[in-house]
Amino acid sequence: DVYVSAGPGYENEAERDVEAIPFPRSLLRQLGVREKHARFMVARGDSMIPTIKDGDLVLVDSSFSRAKDEGVYVV
């Protein structure tokens, strides 16, 4: 139950797992995301349009501790 801001910023008061989302393990492997690091979060805001739209469910690899390459990061 976490939101990520694509706009003015958002602070989650407390992260908590709400439910499991069915997602093919084969796709996680193809993307290089280990299952234990896969998180789904809802985007709020429009500053990332057209890449990420308000309300989109985004897959986040929580294993990163610092930016390595070009990409989109949740901080």
Side-chain angles (χ1 to χ4, degrees):
D1 192 18
V2 172
Y3 294 99
V4 292
S5 177
Y10 186 86
E11 183 176 344
N12 289 280
E13 292 182 15
E15 173 184 341
R16 63 186 176 95
D17 291 337
V18 174
E19 62 184 274
I21 297 174
F23 197 82
R25 287 184 174 123
S26 60
L27 186 51
L28 288 177
R29 283 191 299 273
Q30 184 180 351
L31 295 170
V33 179
R34 294 180 64 187
E35 187 175 342
K36 70 179 186 177
H37 296 296
R39 302 288 184 272
F40 288 92
M41 300 177 186
V42 177
R44 294 287 180 230
D46 59 5
S47 69
M48 293 295 297
I49 289 176
T51 305
I52 301 171
K53 296 181 222 97
D54 184 51
D56 277 355
L57 186 66
V58 295
L59 169 63
V60 176
D61 181 348
S62 66
S63 69
F64 287 93
S65 60
R66 66 173 60 129
K68 295 180 181 180
D69 299 309
E70 290 185 23
V72 176
Y73 292 87
V74 175
V75 179

